[in-house]
Amino acid sequence: MEILQLPLVCALIISSLTSATVVQDFNHVERCKDSLYMGTPPRGFVDTKLKKICQRYADKPRYVTLYDPSKRIPVYSAYTFKKTEGDRRVDYPWMYEPQLAELDGNGNMLPFPTGYLHMKFEDSQAVLDDYSDVVLYERGHLNPDQHQSSPHDRAATYTLTNVVPEIREFNIGPWREYEERIRVRLNNFCRGTAYIVTGVTTRGNMIRRNNQNRVAIPEDVWSAYCCTEYDRNAPHDVRVLFPSHAALAKNAKEGNSIHEMTVLELEMFLRNNIEVDTNLQIFYDNCVSPSPLPLYLQHTI
């Protein structure tokens, strides 16, 4: 019987756990659309060069990402919020997506190797070297690990197809505080499934490496959630933040405070600042909440 070398065995084990698939439509992979409210992705993104990634881990779809290979960052990641204590884990390996570069790839999302590797996939996505010598920026998750609870769900967020360059002061300050605020809000008042979409706008600024433009630097970071089953006995100042709400902030060292707003207000901003058409809609039917009351009483909610 042939004895496999240990590194190969490890690689086989890792590749069986970590996989992501570039798809034509999020519905093409079973259960991939479970990350989306009503199984429907945000509407109105018209750039045909964008890639739809079903982020899989341990043979289970975890969330979805719309990815821009030319800018080497995600446009957005969409995921379901999992109730959690909010502790952060940083011991997961960073991964990349071979299928962005190879049409015949086997779908595995793989950890970056520790040794030298000819990065033939660098043209289509960011790699660790893009972030290694950049002191101003952090790798900012769009689907953050503290919004996930199981080790597998958390590990799946550590792919460079789910991160953007965020100014350090913004990443560890206002945006982290906002992610924690939403974690507590949804933990305490969302009674069903909460769906979150987090994305960015860009203005052409890039991280450069070897005199080449490599990774787009976001101008703004935005996020929106939808939870139609929520605590209707919550205080009024909380109830007005359901079933949906949104936020927007500058990815900057100063002037980076978080502005919470309605999803419709966020969509109005995005229509003027990213490549979308007038039909832009983040959540199907604007996350309209089914009312538990008869029509003549609904105005009392």
Side-chain angles (χ1 to χ4, degrees):
M1 183 178 71
E2 182 182 2
I3 299 177
L4 292 174
Q5 293 182 344
L6 184 58
L8 178 58
V9 173
C10 293
L12 290 172
I13 293 173
I14 290 173
S15 65
S16 70
L17 282 174
T18 58
S19 63
T21 306
V22 178
V23 295
Q24 293 297 315
D25 189 283
F26 290 131
N27 292 336
H28 288 180
V29 177
E30 186 179 8
R31 312 219 66 82
C32 186
K33 64 181 182 179
D34 289 356
S35 300
L36 302 162
Y37 176 64
M38 299 298 289
T40 305
R43 185 181 71 196
F45 289 84
V46 294
D47 188 345
T48 57
K49 298 186 297 296
L50 301 179
K51 302 294 185 181
K52 300 179 177 72
I53 302 176
C54 184
Q55 305 278 19
R56 295 171 60 89
Y57 193 90
D59 296 324
K60 178 181 176 183
R62 304 290 168 172
Y63 61 102
V64 302
T65 297
L66 187 66
Y67 192 80
D68 189 336
S70 64
K71 297 179 181 177
R72 300 183 184 89
I73 60 169
V75 177
Y76 67 72
S77 283
Y79 60 96
T80 54
F81 171 83
K82 316 297 191 309
K83 292 195 173 184
T84 170
E85 296 303 312
D87 54 312
R88 297 174 66 88
R89 295 286 300 276
V90 294
D91 54 348
Y92 298 112
W94 284 102
M95 290 174 276
Y96 68 98
E97 176 46 69
Q99 278 215 348
L100 284 172
E102 302 174 10
L103 293 177
D104 59 347
N106 62 8
N108 288 333
M109 176 205 302
L110 297 173
F112 282 98
T114 54
Y116 174 81
L117 178 70
H118 176 60
M119 302 283 193
K120 62 181 178 180
F121 48 83
E122 282 189 343
D123 285 346
S124 61
Q125 61 193 289
V127 296
L128 291 175
D129 283 352
D130 292 321
Y131 288 91
S132 61
D133 296 323
V134 183
V135 296
L136 296 178
Y137 302 98
E138 296 283 329
R139 290 171 287 206
H141 288 66
L142 297 188
N143 174 8
D145 64 346
Q146 65 266 40
H147 283 189
Q148 304 299 328
S149 57
S150 77
H152 282 170
D153 281 341
R154 288 185 162 192
T157 69
Y158 283 84
T159 164
L160 291 190
T161 55
N162 178 50
V163 304
V164 297
E166 289 180 356
I167 294 284
R168 176 174 172 77
E169 289 82 356
F170 170 72
N171 174 271
I172 67 174
W175 194 250
R176 183 175 297 180
E177 292 167 6
Y178 171 74
E179 290 174 337
E180 174 64 9
R181 187 191 319 159
I182 296 306
R183 185 192 70 79
V184 172
R185 183 183 301 169
L186 296 178
N187 262 1
N188 292 342
F189 300 108
C190 182
R191 297 292 177 257
T193 300
Y195 299 87
I196 300 180
V197 182
T198 299
V200 298
T201 74
T202 58
R203 295 288 187 281
N205 295 320
M206 303 285 288
I207 288 177
R208 292 177 60 83
R209 180 165 62 86
N210 297 333
N211 294 319
Q212 293 182 325
N213 286 334
R214 285 294 304 164
V215 181
I217 300 167
E219 179 80 7
D220 309 281
V221 183
W222 56 268
S223 186
Y225 64 80
C226 168
C227 170
T228 58
E229 297 175 53
Y230 58 92
D231 183 358
R232 285 170 167 80
N233 294 317
H236 180 264
D237 62 338
V238 172
R239 286 207 311 279
V240 297
L241 304 176
F242 286 91
S244 65
H245 214 57
L248 176 68
K250 288 288 182 189
N251 179 31
K253 188 172 182 177
E254 299 176 341
N256 55 15
S257 58
I258 309 294
H259 300 281
E260 288 207 50
M261 60 188 66
T262 67
V263 175
L264 293 178
E265 289 171 329
L266 173 62
E267 289 172 345
M268 189 178 306
F269 172 86
L270 293 179
R271 285 189 191 98
N272 294 321
N273 288 277
I274 60 175
E275 190 176 349
V276 292
D277 62 25
T278 56
N279 294 317
L280 173 67
Q281 188 177 71
I282 296 175
F283 297 115
Y284 174 82
D285 202 20
N286 293 318
C287 185
V288 172
S289 176
S291 175
L293 300 177
L295 286 174
Y296 68 91
L297 288 177
Q298 286 184 17
H299 70 279
T300 64
I301 295 182

